[in-house]
Amino acid sequence: MTTHSSIETHPDLAEMRTRFERVTSTPAAQAVEALALITGLYLAASPWIAGFSVLTPLAVNNLITGLAFCLCMGGLGSAYERTHAMAWTAVVLGAWTIVAPWVIAGEMDTTRTVVNNVITGAMALCLGLAMAAMANRSTKNPARDSRMRASRI
């Protein structure tokens, strides 16, 4: 009978956690996370801030989308090594926010709602892309990259 050691003791896992820790501790990653949380909270409260809370379907949509965006991007700071793929979910939520005034049934596309959702959605989309780019940069294998560069010379 063979016994397998825990994955927690695998050397690659420890190295990967160190890389993720290094990425999330940079000022850029912390700024992206802070801006994302502010963007998500604003999106959730925007129907009442911008004054279109009477458009109930869009107000509920923005509330749910804003809270989901906060949860996606807020989880990245606390458990980055397990949740960095959720940055792509944040990108989708940003894109949805942009098109929501035209897609949701009813007359939701007033100037106020369109301007609010396009600007907030563009911010959310860019912040999600920034976090996804940081995740992609941190998952690259530096040893493999240096070998690839050396083979090209």
Side-chain angles (χ1 to χ4, degrees), residues 39-133:
T39 301
L41 289 174
Y42 173 77
L43 179 59
S46 66
W48 295 273
I49 294 171
F52 59 89
S53 61
V54 295
L55 300 173
T56 306
L58 189 60
V60 170
N61 174 74
N62 281 12
L63 177 65
I64 292 170
T65 306
L67 293 176
F69 188 79
C70 280
L71 289 173
C72 282
M73 295 300 275
L76 292 171
S78 61
Y80 189 76
E81 69 272 4
R82 292 183 302 275
T83 60
H84 67 275
M86 290 176 61
W88 291 108
T89 304
V91 172
V92 171
L93 289 172
W96 168 252
T97 301
I98 293 170
V99 300
W102 295 285
V103 176
I104 293 177
E107 293 293 321
M108 302 296 148
D109 59 343
T110 66
T111 302
R112 193 176 291 188
T113 61
V114 169
V115 169
N116 179 75
N117 276 34
V118 167
I119 291 172
T120 308
M123 280 287 297
L125 191 132
C126 289
L127 291 167
L129 285 173
M131 192 57 82

